[in-house]
Amino acid sequence: MLRQVAEGVLIHQSEFCQSNAVVVHGRAGVLVIDPGVLGSELADLADDLRELGQPVVAGFSTHPHWDHLLWHARLGAAPRYGTARCAATVQDLLSDANWQARIAQAIPPDIAGQVPLDLLGLITGLPAGMTQIPWDGPDVRIIEHQAHAPGHAALLIEERGVLIAGDMLSDVLIPMLNLNDTADPIEDYLAALRLLEGAAGDVEVVVPGHGSAGGADQVHARIDQDRAYVHALRDAQVSSDPRVGPSAQDGWDWVAGVHAGQLQRLARRSERDSTPG
Ligand SMILES: [Zn+2]
């Protein structure tokens, strides 16, 4: 089920929202980033790794949204990490006695019951300012920013030319801004794109959290496309983004609703901000 995208870097794409799990080979086992969504897929991934003789030695969640925080007992008990801010956000969620019910509301009904929640979010926050994942394998640089979710991390494996973008740089999903408790979500997003652009120099493969992996030509094209979308959103212009509307890929027509919702919430925010008193 795993497909190699660069030397020692493999991905598995979930049926749910084309979610990408990433496996990185280290010296004594593998690092698993955002392992997947459906219980059966997580179990299959664990079985495949076992067959390859590759124990999981570390896990990482790119950001504190449910579809990036899952795990399966068969993947083992290796330490799982996220940024300090990501882990704090998850802590907050899990401290609510009703967290399972709250998460269940976010899961589409057609896969409800197939998503194992018991090991969700059991991650350790890395010390703020730590710029590498602590593990015995190729350097994995953490590029932390505040677009999409608090403590969101993109990961750069420089010696393999791979950028793992989390929920950015997708060919199917538009930039989804974090509009909760943020002062300037547009600028947060643009700042994150600048960080990715600064890191993207020698990247040959970009792996988004959802959608297709892209080659070298896609890295800057996707950064530009996301930036153009955010500019259009900021200026309340009609977006000609191919991910929204009739040009959206099969099964992604709901993205137009996400776009409309973002426009509406931003309009409400600016109304509120311009109200005197
Ligand atoms: Zn996601």
Side-chain angles (χ1 to χ4, degrees):
M1 69 191 281
L2 287 161
R3 178 168 80 85
Q4 175 155 318
V5 293
E7 190 200 325
V9 183
L10 305 105
I11 63 174
H12 171 255
Q13 197 167 75
S14 171
E15 277 168 45
F16 171 74
C17 275
Q18 295 181 36
S19 308
N20 292 311
V22 182
V23 170
V24 186
H25 281 272
R27 268 168 284 273
V30 295
L31 163 69
V32 178
I33 300 154
D34 293 354
V37 177
L38 305 178
S40 56
E41 291 172 342
L42 294 168
D44 287 350
L45 175 63
D47 290 347
D48 281 10
L49 292 174
R50 194 163 296 175
E51 248 165 62
L52 294 169
Q54 294 289 338
V56 178
V57 294
F60 191 87
S61 287
T62 56
H63 62 286
H65 289 165
W66 68 271
D67 52 325
H68 301 263
L69 294 169
L70 299 163
W71 198 254
H72 194 287
R74 268 144 76 178
L75 289 167
R80 295 159 57 192
Y81 303 112
T83 64
R85 211 155 165 180
C86 171
T89 305
V90 175
Q91 269 307 313
D92 213 41
L93 170 77
L94 297 182
S95 66
D96 178 344
N98 289 323
W99 71 266
Q100 291 225 2
R102 278 175 63 190
I103 298 259
Q105 278 175 7
I107 299 178
D110 57 318
I111 59 162
Q114 297 177 56
V115 181
L117 296 181
D118 47 332
L119 298 174
L120 180 142
L122 302 181
I123 59 172
T124 302
L126 295 173
M130 187 179 253
T131 56
Q132 305 274 350
I133 294 182
W135 82 301
D136 189 13
D139 284 355
V140 181
R141 191 169 125 206
I142 299 167
I143 304 167
E144 182 176 351
H145 56 74
Q146 308 308 324
H148 184 65
H152 190 297
L155 300 172
L156 178 67
I157 313 173
E158 210 156 6
E159 58 179 281
R160 303 291 151 82
V162 176
L163 177 66
I164 296 154
D167 279 2
M168 295 177 71
L169 311 188
S170 169
D171 57 333
V172 285
L173 256 187
I174 50 173
M176 290 166 72
L177 277 55
N178 177 15
L179 296 167
N180 302 315
D181 308 317
T182 46
D184 195 347
I186 295 274
E187 179 48 33
D188 287 345
Y189 215 99
L190 295 173
L193 288 170
R194 287 194 294 271
L195 279 180
L196 297 185
E197 193 163 45
D202 296 318
V203 169
E204 280 167 18
V205 181
V206 56
V207 182
H210 307 275
S212 341
D217 60 316
Q218 281 288 302
V219 182
H220 287 281
R222 290 191 187 187
I223 291 170
D224 291 346
Q225 179 170 257
D226 275 3
R227 185 183 287 127
Y229 174 83
V230 175
H231 283 164
L233 196 60
R234 176 193 65 194
D235 303 337
Q237 284 168 357
V238 178
S239 172
S240 55
D241 198 295
R243 296 167 291 187
V244 178
S247 53
Q249 290 184 30
D250 265 2
W252 291 89
D253 45 327
W254 54 271
V255 173
V258 172
H259 171 56
Q262 296 198 117
L263 268 179
Q264 211 174 53
R265 287 186 66 185
L266 284 164
R268 245 184 272 142
R269 282 173 79 108
S270 67
E271 224 169 79
R272 189 191 61 203
D273 293 348
S274 63
T275 307

